């Protein structure tokens, strides 16, 4: 055994993922990512951390629109949809899950969530926006960060 390493030393990801983080924003690709991540979490007996990133500022904020209330309502709707889906498989599949909201832009929010929740893996949906060819998609930026295995679901 390597003398710098003790048997009790924590090593992320060696026994399969214990926490899988997935982002949801209500888009079809994000729901496919949640479904895929749920299957992984169920098979690995991992915790599924479903994350909604609340935008800090939107165009509506400049005109006095109640941004916090709107993003809060979106988060509540997402949780309701997730609960309905989980209820459909209750008794068939066992799944441990949590819902979290983090403020920020999609990349920064998901990166912060993955770090704070000690994610062993991150699952995201493929970008549905054409502009990401120039700026780079959230998935590409997460991969380039190189801190977690990232799965991109089409």
């Amino acid at each position: 055994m390597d003398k710098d390493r003790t048997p009790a030393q924590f090593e992320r990801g060696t026994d399969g993922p214990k926490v899988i983080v997935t982002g949801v924003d209500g888009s079809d690709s994000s729901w496919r990512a949640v479904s895929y991540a749920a299957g992984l979490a169920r098979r690995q007996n991992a915790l599924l951390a479903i994350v909604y990133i609340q935008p800090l500022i939107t165009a509506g904020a400049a005109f006095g629109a109640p941004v916090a209330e709107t993003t809060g309502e979106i988060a509540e709707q997402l949780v309701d949809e997730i609960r309905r889906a989980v209820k459909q498989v209750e008794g068939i599949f066992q799944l441990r899950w949590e819902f979290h909201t983090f403020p920020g832009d999609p990349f920064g929010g998901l990166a912060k969530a993955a770090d704070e929740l000690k994610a062993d893996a991150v699952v995201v949906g493929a970008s549905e926006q054409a502009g990401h060819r120039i700026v780079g998609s959230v998935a590409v930026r997460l991969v380039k960060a190189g801190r977690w295995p990232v799965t991109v679901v089409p």
Side-chain angles (χ1 to χ4, degrees):
M1 181 191 304
D2 187 351
K3 65 180 177 180
D4 295 332
R5 193 188 228 172
T6 62
Q9 183 178 359
F10 175 75
E11 193 172 335
R12 181 176 275 174
T14 56
D15 293 329
K18 295 299 175 206
V19 177
I20 299 171
V21 168
T22 186
V24 64
D25 61 8
S27 67
D28 289 342
S29 67
S30 75
W31 283 119
R32 286 190 295 271
V34 170
S35 295
Y36 184 87
L40 288 176
R42 180 184 56 79
R43 288 186 296 279
Q44 295 287 334
N45 194 29
L47 172 66
L48 176 63
I50 303 168
V51 177
Y52 170 63
I53 305 303
Q54 291 183 311
L56 293 176
I57 298 176
T58 64
F63 300 106
V67 176
E69 288 178 25
T70 303
T71 59
E73 289 171 11
I74 292 169
E76 287 176 27
Q77 291 170 359
L78 294 171
V79 169
D80 289 343
E81 288 186 49
I82 294 164
R83 284 191 177 122
R84 280 194 296 273
V86 168
K87 199 160 199 68
Q88 288 177 349
V89 297
E90 209 170 44
I92 300 170
F93 298 119
Q94 199 70 4
L95 179 65
R96 295 181 305 125
W97 66 278
E98 299 175 347
F99 182 81
H100 299 270
T101 59
F102 283 82
D105 66 282
F107 166 73
L110 280 173
K112 180 178 179 180
D115 285 341
E116 287 187 13
L117 298 170
K118 298 189 180 345
D120 295 301
V122 178
V123 179
V124 293
S127 176
E128 295 180 349
Q129 297 180 4
H132 287 163
R133 289 187 199 113
I134 298 165
V135 178
S137 71
V138 172
V140 169
R141 293 174 68 195
L142 287 167
V143 169
K144 286 183 177 181
R147 298 197 304 258
W148 331 265
V150 177
T151 301
V152 183
V153 178

